[in-house]
Amino acid sequence: MQIRDVIYLLLSIVFLGLALIVSNQEPTKLSDASEGSLVEFVGVCAYSSGDFSILTDGQVSVPVYSYLEPGKVYRVVGIYRGKGIKPREIREGTLELEEYIGAYWVDYYPSILTPKKIKLRFGLQNVTPGDIVKVRGVFFGSRLVPVEYEKLGRLREPRDGFPFNFTGVVLYGGNPALMLWENRSVRVYLRDNKTLTPGHRVSVLGITRVSGSRITVYASNFSILGIADEMIVSGGCRISEVLDDRVKVECLDMPLSNVTGRVGDIVEFKALKRFRDYLCLSCNVTQRATMENMICHPEIGKVGRVSGVVEEASMKRGSLLIKVSKNGCKVLVKIREQLNVKPGDKLDAFGVFSTYYSNPVLIVQGREDICVNSSCN
């Protein structure tokens, strides 16, 4: 054997011995590691791109020079170099995880609301915003890295600070809009200056604020499902009273808004029923000029017209009572205003028939509904 061969043999023995020493070396903790040390670390993959990943246990994070699947727990053994681990062995690991229950939400980033917002490192697969989820993971910086999660259902009632998905009818349009949901009113604020139209059935998803009986939803998105036909009424009848911003009509139990007219006018309407009124969605008004003279056949409780000659007029308890006759028929007209009228004047009036000491009387609302020596058409 030549000297050179002997040298090669001795070197091989030395290297084999060193390898055996290293292979039997117990890995140290990352906190005790120095350059070239054999280390062991258990953590969750918070980031991975190509052959570079980052593991974290929620307290300490370390680069690993290998591709790892985000969201998985790994046990890595390797050489500590350049403040990272060059792995020799990669296995599945176990780690104590933090657990949170809340509503999944995606705004500018995925999160869960408990109702405190906890940002997630990445989104949850097969989970939709508004789902209640149980998430287990560790934090990487300010964001939770999800490792395990399960869906627990969705909220059936609005809770303060949580997402809520509901379907209701728009009662008052615009932005904010007021919607009817299960006989409760919900104020809805929309993004990007969008508006809702009264009478539409709408599905809304957004963050809820609840204060006592008041429910407010800041909508993330919404979809129009169609017209709420069950909330729409149609018909036609006469105006019985004019209010400041709406009218009363004979055939509805509440005032009709979004329409103007005079007592005696006929309103053909398609209207949305709301809490305290009906909103006119489509209305046509026919003037009262063709209404017949009902002096000879008054109907108590009905809108009527009386035209005739004044027989007498007197003030009674703050109201002016006028006896009017025509073609042998007589009826009283009552108005709560001063009016310059005398026997022999011609009178034309619109109002609602009632009784005065068992006698029919036409109650006139205001001066625009009674005319002396002229027509009130």
Side-chain angles (χ1 to χ4, degrees):
M1 179 180 296
Q2 298 182 4
I3 296 176
R4 184 178 61 185
D5 293 334
V6 173
I7 294 173
Y8 284 153
L9 178 61
L10 291 174
L11 288 174
S12 297
I13 294 172
V14 171
F15 286 136
L16 179 60
L18 290 174
L20 289 172
I21 293 172
V22 171
S23 63
N24 293 326
Q25 180 183 352
E26 287 294 325
T28 62
K29 294 181 180 179
L30 192 65
S31 57
D32 300 329
S34 59
E35 186 75 10
S37 298
L38 184 69
V39 295
E40 177 186 45
F41 187 76
V42 178
V44 178
C45 179
Y47 173 84
S48 188
S49 177
D51 291 331
F52 179 83
S53 302
I54 296 178
L55 284 184
T56 181
D57 62 2
Q59 301 293 327
V60 177
S61 299
V62 62
V64 175
Y65 303 113
S66 176
Y67 175 78
L68 301 175
E69 185 177 344
K72 290 289 187 69
V73 180
Y74 291 95
R75 173 185 176 273
V76 175
V77 176
I79 303 301
Y80 187 69
R81 294 200 183 280
K83 297 185 178 180
I85 301 175
K86 187 174 182 179
R88 287 187 173 182
E89 180 183 338
I90 300 176
R91 295 181 181 179
E92 289 188 7
T94 58
L95 185 67
E96 185 175 347
L97 305 174
E98 298 184 49
E99 181 177 289
Y100 297 92
I101 295 178
Y104 183 60
W105 190 244
V106 179
D107 201 340
Y108 300 103
Y109 44 80
S111 62
I112 57 172
L113 307 179
T114 64
K116 178 184 176 182
K117 180 179 286 188
I118 298 175
K119 299 177 184 179
L120 299 179
R121 179 68 183 172
F122 42 79
L124 306 181
Q125 298 296 316
N126 302 316
V127 179
T128 57
D131 286 344
I132 302 300
V133 292
K134 178 165 68 174
V135 180
R136 302 179 71 240
V138 298
F139 278 93
F140 178 61
S142 63
R143 302 196 178 194
L144 182 70
V145 181
V147 176
E148 303 169 355
Y149 57 90
E150 62 176 304
K151 293 193 291 186
L152 303 178
R154 295 179 77 86
L155 291 178
R156 296 186 179 181
E157 292 284 332
R159 289 177 59 187
D160 188 57
F162 282 82
F164 186 54
N165 187 194
F166 73 98
T167 298
V169 179
V170 181
L171 299 182
Y172 294 84
N175 187 6
L178 191 69
M179 294 180 59
L180 177 67
W181 169 74
E182 295 189 356
N183 293 321
R184 300 168 70 181
S185 61
V186 179
R187 188 172 298 278
V188 178
Y189 287 84
L190 306 173
R191 291 179 171 180
D192 304 322
N193 296 319
K194 294 180 179 179
T195 60
L196 295 178
T197 301
H200 281 169
R201 182 178 301 281
V202 180
S203 176
V204 177
L205 173 65
I207 301 299
T208 306
R209 297 298 176 202
V210 180
S211 178
S213 60
R214 170 180 266 183
I215 304 172
T216 302
V217 175
Y218 296 88
S220 171
N221 54 65
F222 67 92
S223 57
I224 298 172
L225 307 180
I227 300 296
D229 293 324
E230 75 282 3
M231 299 284 292
I232 307 296
V233 297
S234 300
C237 51
R238 293 190 183 274
I239 296 175
S240 59
E241 185 178 351
V242 178
L243 305 174
D244 289 339
D245 56 354
R246 46 195 173 172
V247 299
K248 287 185 177 181
V249 294
E250 291 182 299
C251 55
L252 293 178
D253 58 342
M254 296 186 296
L256 182 63
S257 64
N258 198 34
V259 63
T260 58
R262 299 177 299 172
V263 173
D265 288 346
I266 297 176
V267 182
E268 299 287 342
F269 59 84
K270 181 179 180 181
L272 171 68
K273 185 175 183 180
R274 304 194 292 193
F275 291 113
R276 297 181 180 86
D277 67 1
Y278 292 87
L279 175 67
C280 196
L281 302 176
S282 174
C283 288
N284 182 53
V285 179
T286 301
Q287 301 299 314
R288 64 192 181 183
T290 59
M291 189 175 185
E292 64 175 327
N293 185 3
M294 300 175 66
I295 190 170
C296 292
H297 52 88
E299 296 183 44
I300 306 303
K302 293 289 187 178
V303 176
R305 180 180 190 177
V306 168
S307 298
V309 178
V310 176
E311 287 192 357
E312 60 180 83
S314 60
M315 293 296 297
K316 299 287 187 180
R317 297 178 181 176
S319 296
L320 179 63
L321 281 175
I322 307 168
K323 183 183 289 187
V324 181
S325 64
K326 186 173 184 178
N327 299 330
C329 301
K330 297 181 180 181
V331 75
L332 291 174
V333 174
K334 181 180 180 182
I335 182 171
R336 287 184 175 275
E337 292 188 30
Q338 291 286 349
L339 187 66
N340 186 16
V341 62
K342 61 184 183 299
D345 286 340
K346 293 181 179 181
L347 185 138
D348 189 23
F350 294 85
V352 178
F353 283 108
S354 184
T355 58
Y356 182 77
Y357 291 103
S358 301
N359 296 312
V361 59
L362 184 74
I363 307 296
V364 178
Q365 181 182 357
R367 288 291 297 271
E368 67 277 6
D369 298 319
I370 187 168
C371 301
V372 179
N373 296 323
S374 63
S375 174
C376 283
N377 292 342

